[in-house]
Amino acid sequence: MIRTRGAVAQLVVLRRGRVALDRSFGCRPDALFWTFSAGKPVTALTVHLLAERGLLDLDAPVADHWPEFAANGKGAVTVRNVLEHRAGLGAAGIPGDALVLADRRRATARTAAARLVRPPGTAAGYSPLAAGFVLGELVRRVTGRPERDAVRELLLDPAGLHDTHLGLPGRLLPRAVPVHGSNPLAAVVSAWVNRPAVRRAVIPSAGLSTTARDLAALYRMLLAGGLRGRRRVLAAATVAGAVAPSGDDGFDRVARYPIRWSAGFQLGGPRAVPGTVSPMGAGSSPRAFGHNGSNCCIAWADPDRDLVVVHLTDRIGSPLPDLRYHAAVADRILASVPPDEPADRRGRRLRTSGAETGRPSGSMGDVEER
C-alpha cells in the first residue's frame, strides 16, 4: 500500500515491545520528517509533567501564568480546556495564525488577543495552531526557559528521543524530508513549511521534526506507564490522565468531523457518525491514543493490543482521501494483531512487554535505550 501510494515514508510497528516492522521508503531511517500536528503530544506531555511536579494546575486558568491571555473574555479558560481543545477558540483566526506561524512573538501576541466563539468547556473545537502557542507559552513562563530547551530537558532527553527536535537545528537541515503537495493548495502549504526559517522555528503546534523510530519510542514509554526501561519519565497516573477521554460527543465544531479527544491526544475506536473513520483505523480500540498530522503523518498506540504504529510521510493533499489512506494502513496492521486478554485476566497491569520479558529485538535495536 505504501509503495503504491508513492510517497517518501517511514513505518515502524512495535508489538509487545518488539519491532514487528521498521521500514523506510525513499529515505534513510534517520531522515527527519516534519510531522505537522502529530507532534502536538510532545508539548502537551511537557505541560502534564509540569502539573505532575506541582508547577501548574490543569484546572486553573491559563491567565494565572499568562495574565495577557485573559484579554477579550478568556480569563476563565483553563489549561485543561486548551489541552482538550475545549477552550472556545473558533476557526476564523486560523488563516491569520498560519501567516505568523514562524514568528513566535507575533503568534503569542495574536493568541493573547484572540476572542472566544463559545464559552470554554462547552464543546470540542480543534485549535490547530493557537492552542499550541498557549501551551508553549505556559511552558516558557512556568519554567523560565525557552520552550525548546524546557521540552528537551523535561521530556525528550529523559525519554531517549535524541533525534526529535522542536525547531530543527540548522546543522540537521540536510536530513530534513521536504513536504510535497499533491494539489495546488497543498503545494502552497508545502512550499511554506519547506522554508529553512520555518523548519528552524519553534512551532509547538506543528513544528516537530523527528523519525518514526523516535516517535515509536515515545509511545512505547507511554504504554509502559511512563517508564523508559527502569527510568521513570512520567508518573503512571499522569499518563492515564493524559489519555483519558474528555467526555465530549466526538463531533468537533471546527474540524466538522468526529474526533474523540483526551487532554492532549486524539482517541481511536469507532465513530458515531456513519461513514466516518478514525485515522487510527476502524478496528482500533476506544483506548487507542495518538495524533494525526494533517493526514500526512500519524503516531498512535493501542493498549488493548500492546501495539505502537508510527507512519510518517512527505505527502499532504486532499484531507478525506488521505485520512482514509492512513486508516486503511492502520486496519491492515490491526487485522493481523488480535487484542490481548484484559489486564485483570492476565493478572498484571498493562505495560509494554519488553520491560517485563526482556529487550526488544529487530532492526531498531533497543528502543528503550535509544
Side-chain angles (χ1 to χ4, degrees):
M1 291 174 68
I2 294 169
R3 287 196 186 98
T4 299
R5 190 169 187 250
V8 174
Q10 293 172 350
L11 176 67
V12 168
V13 180
L14 306 181
R15 166 69 164 156
R16 294 176 178 163
R18 297 183 179 275
V19 179
L21 282 172
D22 180 9
R23 302 292 298 276
S24 297
F25 303 84
C27 66
R28 290 170 48 89
D30 65 351
L32 295 164
F33 284 76
W34 172 276
T35 56
F36 292 91
S37 292
K40 275 186 170 68
V42 166
T43 300
L45 287 170
T46 304
V47 171
H48 280 284
L49 255 174
L50 295 175
E52 176 186 311
R53 298 182 183 188
L55 297 175
L56 60 76
D57 181 350
L58 297 184
D59 295 306
V62 171
D64 283 2
H65 298 281
W66 184 10
E68 297 87 344
F69 184 76
N72 293 320
K74 299 194 300 301
V77 174
T78 67
V79 180
R80 190 181 303 278
N81 290 154
V82 179
L83 286 166
E84 294 180 346
H85 293 277
R86 297 169 70 87
L89 298 168
I94 294 173
D97 294 339
L99 290 175
V100 298
L101 189 66
D103 187 328
R104 183 60 179 268
R105 182 186 61 80
R106 293 175 64 192
T108 52
R110 180 180 172 83
T111 302
R115 297 180 181 274
L116 301 182
V117 299
R118 66 182 64 87
T122 56
Y126 183 38
S127 176
L129 299 175
F133 283 112
V134 175
L135 299 178
E137 186 68 5
L138 279 171
V139 170
R140 188 184 73 82
R141 288 175 178 254
V142 169
T143 64
R145 303 273 289 150
E147 187 195 352
R148 184 203 312 262
D149 298 340
V151 169
R152 169 66 58 197
E153 294 164 10
L154 290 169
L155 179 65
L156 298 182
D157 283 348
L161 307 185
H162 305 306
D163 234 356
T164 299
H165 308 275
L166 188 57
L168 191 62
R171 61 183 172 79
L172 296 180
L173 284 171
R175 287 172 53 195
V177 176
V179 177
H180 288 94
S182 62
N183 60 47
L185 177 59
V188 172
V189 174
S190 63
W192 175 253
V193 302
N194 286 335
R195 296 169 60 207
V198 175
R199 289 293 177 101
R200 290 195 299 262
V202 175
I203 306 170
S205 293
L208 195 78
S209 293
T210 189
T211 67
R213 291 177 175 181
D214 255 30
L215 272 190
L218 175 69
Y219 279 86
R220 172 174 164 75
M221 179 270 292
L222 295 173
L223 280 187
L227 284 173
R228 174 198 168 207
R230 295 183 178 88
R231 179 171 185 173
R232 172 66 62 188
V233 180
L234 291 153
T238 299
V239 176
V243 302
S246 63
D248 59 68
D249 62 6
F251 188 81
D252 190 277
R253 300 323 193 258
V254 172
R256 311 302 299 171
Y257 197 83
I259 303 176
R260 297 181 61 234
W261 289 109
S262 75
F265 293 87
Q266 297 168 340
L267 303 178
R271 293 297 181 253
V273 180
T276 63
V277 66
S278 163
M280 300 173 211
S284 60
S285 79
R287 294 205 304 146
F289 60 91
H291 214 293
N292 180 18
S294 293
N295 305 301
C296 173
C297 297
I298 190 167
W300 53 277
D302 190 338
D304 289 353
R305 292 174 168 84
D306 206 344
L307 179 73
V308 172
V309 177
V310 181
H311 183 28
L312 309 182
T313 84
D314 70 337
R315 175 173 164 172
I316 181 171
S318 302
L320 283 178
D322 288 351
L323 184 152
R324 291 175 182 135
Y325 160 78
H326 282 280
V329 171
D331 279 329
R332 288 288 294 271
I333 295 167
L334 290 167
S336 67
V337 183
D340 285 334
E341 293 181 2
D344 55 352
R345 292 202 314 212
R346 290 195 308 241
R348 57 182 173 86
R349 185 177 63 186
L350 175 66
R351 45 183 288 134
T352 319
S353 61
E356 299 170 20
T357 61
R359 298 163 69 87
S361 63
S363 57
M364 281 177 63
D366 189 343
V367 296
E368 286 186 348
E369 300 301 327
R370 279 179 48 78

